[in-house]
Amino acid sequence: MATTTRRRARDRHSGVRDVPVRAHWILLTTLVLTLSAALLLQGYTQHLFDRTPDAAPREPATAASVPAAVGSGGPVVEGASARTTAPAARTVSLTFDDGPDPVWTPKVLDVLRRHGVHATFFTVGTRVAEHPGLARRIVAEGHQIGLHGFTHTDLGAASPWRRTLELRQNQLVVAGATGITTPLLRPPYSASNRALTDADWDAVAQAGHEGYLTVLTTRDSQDWRRPGVDRIVSNATPSGRAGQIVLLHDAGGDRAQTVAALDLLVPRLQKAGWRFTTVGEAVSLPRAERPATTAYAWQGSALIAALRTSDRVLEGLSWLLWAAGAISALRAVAVFVAARRHRRVRRKPWGPPVTEPVSVIVPAYNESAGIEAAVRSLLASDHPVEVIVVDDGSTDGTADVVEALRLPGVRVVRQENAGKPAALNTGIAAASCDLLVMVDGDTVFEPDAVRMIVQPFADPRVGAVSGNAKVVNRGGLLGRWQHIEYVVGFNLDRRLFDLAECMPTVPGAVGAFRRDALRRVGGVSGLTLAEDTDLTMALCRDGWRVVYEERARAWTEAPASLGALWRQRYRWCYGTLQAMWKHRGALVQRGQAGKLGRRGLVYLLMFQVLLPLLAPVVDVFAVYGLVFLDPVRIVGLWTAFLMLQVLMGLYAFRLDGERPGPLWSLPLQQFVYRQLMYLVVIQSVFTAIAGSRLRWQRMERYGSLAVPVAAPAEAPPGPVPVAAHAYEAPPAHGYGPGYGAQGSPEAGFDGVYGGQPAPRHGYDPGPSPAYRPREAPYPATPRGHVRPSEGPVRDRRGERG
């Protein structure tokens, strides 16, 4: 009760709020659905838009179903009754298709106003949505507005449902932009009555049943061919006295010839006695345009807003796509160059060999499944060690298992459950050596790992060393993917951080520290879920160098289910965000702290926060491209991106001495694993912004660790002499069970506080295993522990790494 009260008080003091995570999923789902809707709308309006010029030649087709009265009748057709009408004699109706256009429509309107004539503009819905002000100007200056399809598609070739959609959406945006509706329709690619085909007539008849009058033409200026100003004037000039409906264009390309021809045609025909009218006036159509109802106008305005928003979304996605590509390329180049240089630099020794003994601290909570393997691997080290197992109130008998082994040089310290940071601080206080190694209870060390990880301490500037964590349970597909991520992602980054002197994380699974450095920063803090990242950043800000020793290898268990992986990575990412925020002051500091801030934190922000947030843009755009763009090009770009990852993977596996076989699963990884990691980052950012408290989840232990053995030629190192002083476990530090291990992608101490206790395995420790040759360091044990699918790889020169 007291612990719960303290935790609640701490939460109130820190301003942490218990906001249901479900709300974040609702927000994320809403964003995804909104983005999908915007892209679908953009794809329909832009990439199903038919840009073939009006009146362009088409393949011959039959006209058997076209009524004779329509084929030889007037250009204004009522499709439902197959009736037609023609303009009055000596009357000309100028009609303009494909607009409005921000360049040419205003020029056409200026010419018409200068000569005092009115015309009819058949507008495309998507262009009205782009330029609603021009549609309003057309109506305001006394011209008539008509429909030319929403996406300028050939209505004759379209399905009935799409014809209805094209006309309804076209009418909606006109109503939203101008406040009126119109019954006048000119189908794209239509011409005169005699040019109607069976498919065209089917579309005209359907439009008639839906309340539209189809307006065809009697004279085609052919300005879409750009034949020259004189030719356009000649084509548009009537012969005889019959009324005419003339086809012109105010959009669809350069219309300079149309504007110049119009300035000659109108005064010439006026002088010849021709009267210019709109189509409605030419055929005495009463009230061709009507005010739109309020509801219909609002719907139209909403559609215009949606269309313009989708334009901005696509423009934003395009910029984000370029940004994601640039960041990915920058990271690939940076880690490749850094890895090559790191390999050369680290061939030089740090200084005289470090031979002083080491205290190894193993914090453990319900680790009975693997604690024996972890402890025995440490005692098999070829470097003198003392092992301190801090049992943090386990309920599965973890401490009993270790004590029953009766191994020399191993001590067990019990404390009430207080969290991993408190357990580590307990171990630090109990240690007798100046060099400390911290290892999770689900991790086993290779025999030379301790010796290798302490060698950088020959440099007095080094305060901490990161080791090389390897995935032991890599047999399944999920295990292979995590193995690839550890080698290609984490270890390549660590080499870069080492060279740039800005290492942000020493993993909880395998890390070494100077006692003095830990004392100066106040030990391990429990203020974040990423206590190892928090500690490493604190050391950097205190002026210590933190380096990477790739030859210090340890084997850790990785999550074996997507649910467990999600919980682990979610906690890692959230804890890292906490640590970054806590140490943001490093951005303006100098020295080692400034390197962490301006190099390490900026790198984490760009490549572990922003890039995962932007990366889904690539996938969304790929789906968009497969549906609406060139699928071959999209597949080619995706393949190129995949090949870049494969090449990086091959190089990283070579550096780590790993067989490249698991890389065959990289294509599958892109469709499942990568998406999961993106969602983890997105969810973590939402959680951080909302101020929600992330609860601890215990990861399952699978018992896949085996006990390593040492070479027979070497006597096992004796236990480190421990100073003969009375030891008392320090009091708990008040870190509640909500805090625990992790922080970095290598921390294997996953979810051990607040979860269900692991079952007792009925340990019968028996005698220590006999020492065997180091070529087979991970034999099967009597309890069925399995050997890793890929054991440690040795360098052919006999030295690891």
Side-chain angles (χ1 to χ4, degrees):
M1 178 65 72
T3 302
T4 302
T5 302
R6 286 195 302 269
R7 187 182 307 127
R8 289 175 178 171
R10 182 177 66 248
D11 290 349
R12 287 195 300 270
H13 178 71
S14 60
V16 176
R17 297 181 290 119
D18 284 315
V19 178
V21 174
R22 192 174 297 111
H24 302 154
W25 283 118
I26 294 174
L27 177 60
L28 180 59
T29 302
T30 302
L31 290 175
V32 170
L33 292 177
T34 302
L35 177 62
S36 300
L39 289 178
L40 286 174
L41 185 58
Q42 181 70 204
Y44 179 79
T45 58
Q46 297 299 320
H47 300 290
L48 296 182
F49 191 101
D50 197 336
R51 290 174 171 78
T52 305
D54 276 341
R58 295 191 293 172
E59 295 182 3
T62 62
S65 64
V66 180
V70 172
S72 59
V76 180
V77 183
E78 204 289 309
S81 59
R83 291 184 302 175
T84 68
T85 185
R90 306 286 291 179
T91 299
V92 175
S93 292
L94 299 177
T95 61
F96 297 88
D97 288 4
D98 295 350
D101 181 272
V103 174
W104 301 110
T105 300
K107 295 180 182 296
V108 169
L109 290 172
D110 290 343
V111 173
L112 296 176
R113 182 173 56 185
R114 188 163 57 249
H115 295 289
V117 301
H118 292 147
T120 302
F121 290 79
F122 290 99
T123 56
V124 177
T126 56
R127 287 177 173 159
V128 171
E130 291 174 0
H131 313 289
L134 287 177
R136 286 191 289 270
R137 179 182 171 184
I138 289 172
V139 174
E141 294 186 2
H143 303 287
Q144 198 167 50
I145 198 165
L147 309 182
H148 200 48
F150 187 60
T151 62
H152 198 265
T153 193
D154 186 349
L155 297 180
S159 59
W161 71 265
R162 187 174 179 192
R163 293 171 186 163
T164 299
L165 179 65
E166 285 282 318
L167 299 182
R168 173 175 169 75
Q169 302 306 91
N170 196 175
Q171 187 77 275
L172 269 175
V173 293
V174 168
T178 66
I180 64 173
T181 61
T182 175
L184 301 181
L185 163 69
R186 171 166 290 162
Y189 311 109
S190 62
S192 65
N193 296 56
R194 290 186 174 83
L196 288 174
T197 65
D198 292 338
D200 296 333
W201 172 246
D202 188 53
V204 170
Q206 180 180 340
H209 286 289
E210 295 181 8
Y212 295 98
L213 289 174
T214 298
V215 180
L216 303 177
T217 60
T218 59
R219 299 199 69 83
D220 181 5
S221 70
Q222 297 190 11
D223 62 341
W224 55 274
R225 294 181 181 272
R226 298 181 183 85
V229 173
D230 292 339
R231 189 63 180 170
I232 293 174
V233 171
S234 174
N235 291 336
T237 301
S239 59
R241 295 174 54 85
Q244 304 292 328
I245 296 180
V246 180
L247 172 62
L248 296 155
H249 294 83
D250 63 329
D254 185 347
R255 297 303 176 200
Q257 293 183 8
T258 302
V259 174
L262 190 62
D263 217 4
L264 295 176
L265 176 67
V266 172
R268 181 179 299 180
L269 293 181
Q270 286 176 329
K271 187 177 181 180
W274 289 85
R275 183 171 64 95
F276 287 90
T277 66
T278 63
V279 170
E281 293 173 347
V283 297
S284 301
L285 180 66
R287 300 185 62 188
E289 297 157 336
R290 297 184 179 183
T293 64
T294 302
Y296 203 76
W298 274 104
Q299 291 180 48
S301 298
L303 179 57
I304 291 174
L307 289 169
R308 302 187 77 171
T309 300
S310 69
D311 290 339
R312 295 189 182 96
V313 167
L314 186 63
E315 182 179 0
L317 283 179
S318 300
W319 282 106
L320 290 177
L321 182 64
W322 282 107
I327 293 175
S328 298
L330 178 62
R331 179 185 180 273
V333 172
V335 297
F336 177 77
V337 172
R340 287 179 59 86
R341 186 178 176 189
H342 185 270
R343 189 177 187 184
R344 294 194 302 267
V345 170
R346 288 298 171 255
R347 288 175 181 172
K348 302 176 182 179
W350 289 95
V354 176
T355 58
E356 62 182 281
V358 174
S359 296
V360 182
I361 302 170
V362 186
Y365 176 81
N366 288 353
E367 295 287 354
S368 61
I371 193 65
E372 180 184 353
V375 171
R376 288 191 183 278
S377 74
L378 295 170
L379 291 181
S381 298
D382 59 9
H383 192 90
V385 299
E386 70 165 346
V387 179
I388 302 171
V389 178
V390 182
D391 183 88
D392 189 46
S394 297
T395 59
D396 68 342
T398 297
D400 298 333
V401 170
V402 179
E403 289 176 342
L405 296 175
R406 299 182 180 87
L407 296 172
V410 177
R411 281 189 291 157
V412 176
V413 180
R414 298 173 185 258
Q415 69 175 31
E416 292 184 2
N417 180 250
K420 186 181 179 184
L424 288 171
N425 287 327
T426 297
I428 294 170
S432 61
C433 303
D434 291 330
L435 298 182
L436 308 178
V437 171
M438 298 180 186
V439 55
D440 288 334
D442 64 342
T443 304
V444 297
F445 271 37
E446 292 191 6
D448 62 352
V450 174
R451 174 169 56 86
M452 290 297 181
I453 202 170
V454 298
Q455 295 311 305
F457 289 121
D459 185 340
R461 298 173 301 168
V462 174
V465 183
S466 168
N468 187 348
K470 315 289 285 184
V471 174
V472 65
N473 53 331
R474 60 178 76 167
L477 192 59
L478 190 60
R480 287 192 185 94
W481 290 342
Q482 293 178 83
H483 169 47
I484 293 172
E485 185 181 26
Y486 273 53
V487 175
V488 181
F490 305 148
N491 288 348
L492 282 181
D493 280 348
R494 217 170 256 114
R495 291 180 173 91
L496 175 63
F497 290 141
D498 190 357
L499 283 180
E501 299 184 22
C502 60
M503 186 78 67
T505 302
V506 171
V510 51
F513 303 85
R514 288 187 191 272
R515 178 193 289 273
D516 289 344
L518 294 176
R519 184 183 299 116
R520 281 171 47 173
V521 299
V524 183
S525 170
L527 296 180
T528 73
L529 290 181
E531 84 290 326
D532 47 6
T533 300
D534 186 6
L535 174 61
T536 307
M537 292 183 178
L539 291 171
C540 289
R541 295 187 69 184
D542 193 47
W544 294 97
R545 275 206 62 189
V546 181
V547 300
Y548 173 51
E549 178 50 75
E550 61 188 76
R551 296 173 297 176
R553 304 189 183 204
W555 298 79
T556 187
E557 283 188 324
S561 68
L562 286 176
L565 178 66
W566 170 271
R567 291 189 295 272
Q568 182 196 65
R569 299 308 174 85
Y570 183 23
R571 180 168 46 81
W572 286 3
C573 185
Y574 183 79
T576 300
L577 290 174
Q578 286 180 309
M580 291 171 63
W581 180 253
K582 178 180 177 181
H583 295 284
R584 63 190 183 279
L587 289 167
V588 296
Q589 290 182 285
R590 296 183 178 181
Q592 199 65 43
K595 294 177 182 178
L596 169 69
R598 291 182 289 277
R599 299 177 187 176
L601 294 186
V602 170
Y603 185 93
L604 290 178
L605 180 64
M606 288 184 60
F607 300 116
Q608 294 190 19
V609 179
L610 293 181
L611 182 58
L613 289 176
L614 296 178
V617 174
V618 179
D619 299 321
V620 170
F621 208 85
V623 175
Y624 177 81
L626 289 173
V627 176
F628 295 109
L629 302 178
D630 182 3
V632 176
R633 182 184 177 191
I634 297 299
V635 171
L637 291 173
W638 184 84
T639 302
F641 176 74
L642 179 62
M643 289 306 300
L644 175 63
Q645 291 186 307
V646 170
L647 292 175
M648 288 183 62
L650 289 171
Y651 185 64
F653 269 58
R654 179 184 175 188
L655 289 176
D656 260 29
E658 296 281 357
R659 292 195 295 269
L663 291 175
W664 69 264
S665 63
L666 259 181
L668 294 176
Q669 188 189 45
Q670 308 303 306
F671 294 104
V672 180
Y673 191 84
R674 193 161 58 98
Q675 316 305 322
L676 184 68
M677 296 301 102
Y678 295 160
L679 290 176
V680 164
V681 176
I682 293 171
Q683 176 70 356
S684 299
V685 171
F686 283 163
T687 305
I689 293 174
S692 304
R693 180 181 181 83
L694 183 59
R695 303 183 184 278
W696 191 272
Q697 304 264 348
R698 171 171 172 78
M699 194 181 89
E700 300 173 357
R701 300 304 185 199
Y702 314 106
S704 56
L705 301 174
V707 182
V709 294
E714 303 174 3
V720 175
V722 180
H725 61 277
Y727 168 72
E728 241 179 62
H733 294 266
Y735 307 127
Y739 294 100
Q742 150 332 191
S744 75
E746 292 75 7
F749 197 94
D750 180 63
V752 297
Y753 302 110
Q756 296 297 320
R760 290 293 301 272
H761 289 268
Y763 271 75
D764 180 16
S768 298
Y771 289 94
R772 302 183 184 179
R774 290 171 61 186
E775 282 71 23
Y778 294 93
T781 69
R783 290 181 305 283
H785 288 238
V786 296
R787 174 178 176 165
S789 58
E790 294 186 24
V793 179
R794 296 184 57 83
D795 191 282
R796 291 292 181 263
R797 297 188 299 269
E799 194 66 30
R800 293 191 182 275

